[in-house]
Amino acid sequence: MKTYRKFWKLGRPDLSTEFFDINRDGELVVKEGNYQYNLHDLTKKFGTSLEVAFPFIIERRLQELMDIFSRWIKAYRYRGKFIYHYPMKASQNKEFVLPIISEGGNLEVTSANELWLVKRLWEQGQFNTRIRVICNGPKTNYYLSLISELKDKGLQITPIIEDRTELAALNGFKGEVGIRLDPDVKIRAHWDKKIGRFGMSAQEILSLGRIRNLKLLHYHISKQIEYQEDIIAPLKKAMELYVKLHKTNPNLDMIDIGGGFPVPFEGKPLFGVEAVAKRVIRLVQKATDRAGIPHPDILCEWGSYLVAPAQVTIYRILNEKPIARAVAKKWYVIDGSFMNDLKDTWAIHQKWHVVPVNHLAAKKLTRTWLAGLSCDSDDKYTAGGNYILLPRLEDLANGDQQFVAILDTGAYQDALASHHCLLSSPIKLVIQNGVITVARKRETAEEVGKQFGW
Ligand SMILES: Cc1ncc(COP(=O)(O)O)c(C=O)c1O
């Protein structure tokens, strides 16, 4: 099985598949300590389309992230702390958010509704009072009123000022605030827009002079930043501003580098956290040492990095159709929808690490494109015009079926999901400590219809 494990790129920390393996029967399994979950068995028991979330993977990744930063903070004798803030937008699912909090993660929210969830947890007494919540995104009046309410109730909450309107709106706010810089650095990522709409230029921030209770300088340049230099370049710009801003705002003592750490979605290794952590710490240390000011706490909001590898989406291949004149030979039609369940496939041409759930040791494979169940010709996955190798259906024994897993689907896809052609969303399982919980049942036609007034 070793060769097949290698072929399908399983068991590799650099591809975040270290918990995935193949069993003796050529089936995909996930290993949590000495527990082993057979994904093929799950398809038989619960049917497809199927999402399976593994919170333990998030916990391990967060522990590792915090360990790496702590280790290098110590090694470099850096005098600030590393503080992790989970951006809830990456996945607001309770089964993801709660383990992150329990591992010592803090939160970043982007809307009043996300903050409302935080309020509910706070009111239920579920938080350690040390937890800090950062509030990004445009601040509606309702959002601002929730921020003030939670501050009054004792939560450490830091709204981030996006523009002059928010600066005015937060003028009477009693707590600490942050401000968002638009670093104006061009990087190689889909979300780095020619003309950004978030934050303020360094010049504009400096022109504000003293900002009441300013504690934190924040920026977020993009998601899925695939070159290390592109993580470092905006930080350089931010630290230039930080040292200047510190002169007029001496209480400033946090630098928040936002999100964007990449995930090897395509099964291609990128760079590791360790290399970036070292560079980030050293850069901030040198900039502040040169200016003779204290080392700030370093915050990050890496969302996809933490949660994407903790979920897989599984489909059954319903049938096949030949493709003439293309690099792929066959359409494999799945019993779900890329457009609905994995929206980024369609929206940003996201590529995925795709592996069979069974017959992983098949000797013969075929080049496929995957077609979704909606009527839409865009509901497909072609690996960017390439092909996806999967076992041949003609080799299956009578009555046997082929299942396919899309890895790393834990970030963003759930909140973006939709009901094109009124297809049902996948059933969702959460697996932890050997216990399987159904987090979302399969939607019936009646339930889907209800959402449209039927
Ligand atoms: C302000 C902010 N922080 C953090 C993130 C998380 O980014 P990622 O999931 O790529 O790490 C985002 C994503 O859009 C964001 O807008």
Side-chain angles (χ1 to χ4, degrees):
M1 286 300 154
K2 245 187 177 166
T3 40
Y4 294 108
R5 185 191 303 137
K6 193 168 167 197
F7 180 80
W8 295 111
K9 302 178 181 171
L10 304 174
R12 284 183 53 179
D14 59 339
L15 297 178
S16 39
T17 59
E18 64 265 48
F19 304 106
F20 290 77
D21 204 347
I22 306 178
N23 71 7
R24 249 179 287 149
D25 297 327
E27 297 165 312
L28 186 63
V29 296
V30 174
K31 292 176 170 174
E32 177 189 6
N34 283 337
Y35 285 115
Q36 177 165 294
Y37 312 112
N38 181 326
L39 298 187
H40 189 211
D41 284 351
L42 293 179
T43 63
K44 292 184 208 153
K45 187 157 180 211
F46 295 96
T48 47
S49 53
L50 175 68
E51 271 179 24
V52 193
F54 298 99
F56 81 89
I57 294 184
I58 300 176
E59 291 171 4
R60 304 275 173 87
R61 291 176 78 77
L62 181 54
Q63 283 158 3
E64 194 193 14
L65 175 66
M66 298 202 293
D67 284 353
I68 290 173
F69 268 94
S70 305
R71 200 153 11 95
W72 286 103
I73 278 185
K74 213 165 157 195
Y76 289 142
R77 297 174 195 277
Y78 186 84
R79 287 186 298 279
K81 295 190 291 293
F82 170 72
I83 305 175
Y84 177 75
H85 281 259
Y86 173 61
M88 269 179 82
K89 75 205 91 184
S91 172
Q92 297 89 348
N93 284 307
K94 197 171 175 180
E95 58 272 12
F96 279 17
V97 177
L98 296 187
I100 291 169
I101 295 170
S102 82
E103 290 302 319
N106 300 275
L107 295 174
E108 185 257 4
V109 301
T110 300
S111 69
N113 287 357
E114 285 182 357
L115 189 57
W116 184 85
L117 295 178
V118 171
K119 176 180 151 177
R120 220 170 55 171
L121 288 173
W122 180 253
E123 285 173 348
Q124 289 164 354
Q126 295 206 28
F127 281 163
N128 182 321
T129 48
R130 279 200 314 261
I131 196 165
R132 179 184 290 273
V133 177
I134 286 178
C135 299
N136 265 312
K139 316 290 179 306
T140 58
N141 286 342
Y142 176 46
Y143 194 2
L144 286 166
S145 72
L146 275 180
I147 292 171
S148 292
E149 183 188 336
L150 281 166
K151 166 75 197 146
D152 292 344
K153 287 185 167 153
L155 180 71
Q156 288 196 69
I157 188 161
T158 311
I160 306 292
I161 297 165
E162 282 273 355
D163 51 35
R164 285 176 187 264
T165 315
E166 290 189 5
L167 179 68
L170 284 160
N171 192 31
F173 181 66
K174 292 192 205 85
E176 293 156 345
V177 298
I179 197 155
R180 178 160 175 176
L181 165 71
D182 170 4
D184 195 25
V185 172
K186 290 295 148 216
I187 65 155
R188 292 153 281 185
H190 174 85
W191 291 269
D192 185 38
K193 305 295 178 199
K194 261 201 187 108
I195 300 175
R197 55 171 269 223
F198 297 111
M200 289 185 258
S201 69
Q203 219 177 3
E204 189 174 6
I205 293 176
L206 286 172
S207 76
L208 300 175
R210 191 173 160 75
I211 300 162
R212 204 162 158 266
N213 297 338
L214 184 66
K215 176 89 174 157
L216 182 154
L217 178 63
H218 168 63
Y219 66 87
H220 168 78
I221 191 111
S222 176
K223 301 202 300 184
Q224 193 64 8
I225 307 172
E226 295 192 353
Y227 298 87
Q228 251 193 76
E229 273 319 310
D230 290 343
I231 296 186
I232 299 305
L235 178 59
K236 274 189 190 147
K237 284 292 268 294
M239 287 314 295
E240 282 169 21
L241 174 65
Y242 184 94
V243 297
K244 290 181 191 156
L245 204 55
H246 193 270
K247 286 190 186 133
T248 38
N249 297 276
N251 290 334
L252 181 66
D253 65 359
M254 290 179 154
I255 176 80
D256 175 357
I257 68 175
F261 199 92
V263 176
F265 284 116
E266 296 173 50
K268 269 197 309 207
L270 297 162
F271 44 85
V273 168
E274 183 122 13
V276 173
K278 284 162 72 174
R279 292 185 72 182
V280 166
I281 297 166
R282 284 298 274 165
L283 197 160
V284 177
Q285 184 173 35
K286 279 187 184 164
T288 43
D289 281 351
R290 260 198 312 269
I293 59 176
H295 299 159
D297 289 337
I298 299 172
L299 281 61
C300 88
E301 303 172 0
W302 295 342
S304 307
Y305 171 79
L306 199 71
V307 299
Q311 188 166 301
V312 300
T313 305
I314 299 174
Y315 299 112
R316 180 161 68 88
I317 308 301
L318 294 177
N319 54 51
E320 63 176 35
K321 259 178 107 170
I323 307 173
R325 298 184 305 278
V327 59
K329 298 292 166 225
K330 283 171 185 168
W331 284 111
Y332 271 14
V333 183
I334 60 164
D335 61 349
S337 160
F338 285 99
M339 241 174 160
N340 283 343
D341 315 334
L342 300 170
K343 178 78 99 234
D344 277 340
T345 319
W346 170 68
I348 54 164
H349 307 298
Q350 165 84 58
K351 290 194 201 161
W352 303 101
H353 186 173
V354 180
V355 295
V357 171
N358 51 337
H359 303 299
L360 280 141
K363 293 269 178 309
K364 289 190 175 153
L365 303 171
T366 188
R367 296 174 173 197
T368 71
W369 282 346
L370 301 178
L373 208 51
S374 79
C375 66
D376 211 298
S377 56
D378 283 335
D379 193 351
K380 63 182 177 187
Y381 179 62
T382 65
N386 207 336
Y387 56 83
I388 305 107
L389 279 177
L390 286 172
R392 303 190 321 178
L393 301 189
E394 66 253 44
D395 297 337
L396 300 182
N398 231 352
D400 199 3
Q401 294 181 315
Q402 184 62 51
F403 296 88
V404 61
I406 320 292
L407 305 188
D408 303 316
T409 61
Y412 299 101
Q413 307 315 302
D414 282 16
L416 289 172
S418 55
H419 283 99
H420 189 26
C421 294
L422 289 199
L423 298 177
S424 301
S425 297
I427 183 172
K428 179 163 190 168
L429 307 178
V430 178
I431 304 188
Q432 179 96 332
N433 299 326
V435 180
I436 302 173
T437 314
V438 179
R440 182 179 62 224
K441 285 201 247 167
R442 185 164 315 289
E443 291 168 318
T444 61
E446 192 176 352
E447 283 160 351
V448 181
K450 234 185 202 164
Q451 298 178 38
F452 295 83
W454 290 92

